[in-house]
Amino acid sequence: GENVEQHPSTLSVQEGDSAVIKCTYSDSASNYFPWYKQELGKRPQLIIDIRSNVGEKKDQRIAVTLNKTAKHFSLHITETQPEDSAVYFCAASKPRLGFGNEKLTFGTGTRLTIIP
Amino acid sequence: NAGVTQTPKFRILKIGQSMTLQCAQDMNHNYMYWYRQDPGMGLKLIYYSVGAGITDKGEVPNGYNVSRSTTEDFPLRLELAAPSQTSVYFCASGQGREGQPQHFGDGTRLSIL
């Protein structure tokens, strides 16, 4: 099955600096890669996603890049703010004939701390 | 539009007791999922369903059962609670198509003592 590795497990950055979280996946058939943010005690919430036919996607201060050849994708957060402190999870999904993209395989998470 | 609703939010069980975690969604999603999240860890898939009457095992199904009699509801049952089942349980739903995300409920925090 699919295996998703995520690094680093913890990351501390000064407020205003950039943060980068990287994930690798094992199954070349995977074609959908969402990122979720989970604040302490809250539900995971989708912040950005990318499909395999796109190399990069941006939404204000966050961006995701995908390298299909190397099977890795990254989350970039610029001009970090205290409210960016949370755990971030990457995930990968591949289609199954007749069933679409059923399941997500999650990475183990990165705890991001923004230092004021 | 409530999204994904989970009940209860918190529960303490004794070893050997049974209970059902409820999950309901009002987005008419065919796909529903149950995950568990142990402290400081990621999300592990317990069971999922691609439509009413259809369920399938995820990574960690042992000790759990599910049913899907309607599109809206996807309850998770623990028959004989064990301390290893202490966790936060998240229900999610989605359209299951490429590029469509899963939407999570607020979770149920379960302690087995």
Side-chain angles (χ1 to χ4, degrees):
Chain A
E2 174 69 280
N3 183 47
V4 177
E5 294 188 356
Q6 183 171 348
H7 299 281
S9 56
T10 60
L11 179 62
S12 295
V13 300
Q14 291 290 140
E15 182 177 352
D17 287 351
S18 296
V20 180
I21 302 170
K22 299 181 179 180
C23 289
T24 59
Y25 60 99
S26 60
D27 195 330
S28 57
S30 291
N31 64 355
Y32 175 62
F33 308 93
W35 285 88
Y36 285 82
K37 175 183 180 182
Q38 186 178 29
E39 297 176 357
L40 189 62
K42 299 290 183 65
R43 71 175 82 180
Q45 291 194 297
L46 179 76
I47 55 171
I48 196 167
D49 56 11
I50 191 167
R51 297 168 66 170
S52 59
N53 59 349
V54 175
E56 183 176 2
K57 183 177 179 181
K58 289 183 180 179
D59 183 2
Q60 299 182 333
R61 295 187 298 108
I62 60 173
V64 57
T65 58
L66 171 65
N67 183 326
K68 286 191 296 182
T69 303
K71 291 189 285 188
H72 67 71
F73 57 112
S74 300
L75 178 71
H76 305 254
I77 306 174
T78 59
E79 301 172 13
T80 53
Q81 301 169 2
E83 54 264 36
D84 294 329
S85 293
V87 178
Y88 292 80
F89 292 97
C90 64
S93 175
K94 65 177 182 179
R96 184 159 75 107
L97 187 64
F99 291 91
N101 283 56
E102 291 174 293
K103 297 186 290 184
L104 292 174
T105 300
F106 284 87
T108 49
T110 296
R111 182 173 301 278
L112 175 63
T113 302
I114 307 303
I115 305 166
Chain B
N1 192 339
V4 179
T5 302
Q6 290 184 240
T7 56
K9 294 190 185 303
F10 305 95
R11 184 72 183 269
I12 298 174
L13 281 182
K14 293 183 179 179
I15 296 171
Q17 286 186 319
S18 62
M19 78 162 294
T20 300
L21 282 64
Q22 301 291 345
C23 176
Q25 54 94 8
D26 62 1
M27 296 175 282
N28 201 32
H29 288 161
N30 283 325
Y31 293 70
M32 295 187 74
Y33 310 84
W34 275 106
Y35 295 92
R36 61 176 287 173
Q37 185 176 36
D38 297 333
M41 303 293 285
L43 294 154
K44 293 187 177 180
L45 183 65
I46 305 170
Y47 270 96
Y48 68 105
S49 169
V50 301
I54 306 170
T55 62
D56 210 345
K57 296 178 180 179
E59 290 179 79
V60 289
N62 292 344
Y64 307 94
N65 279 301
V66 293
S67 60
R68 185 94 182 273
S69 56
T70 67
T71 299
E72 295 78 18
D73 300 297
F74 191 40
L76 177 72
R77 181 141 181 99
L78 284 71
E79 290 294 350
L80 290 171
S84 60
Q85 294 177 306
T86 294
S87 192
V88 179
Y89 291 84
F90 287 100
C91 179
S93 73
Q95 294 180 338
R97 299 183 203 146
E98 180 187 338
Q100 299 299 317
Q102 292 183 16
H103 302 269
F104 286 80
D106 286 331
T108 294
R109 190 173 298 274
L110 182 63
S111 295
I112 315 295
L113 303 176

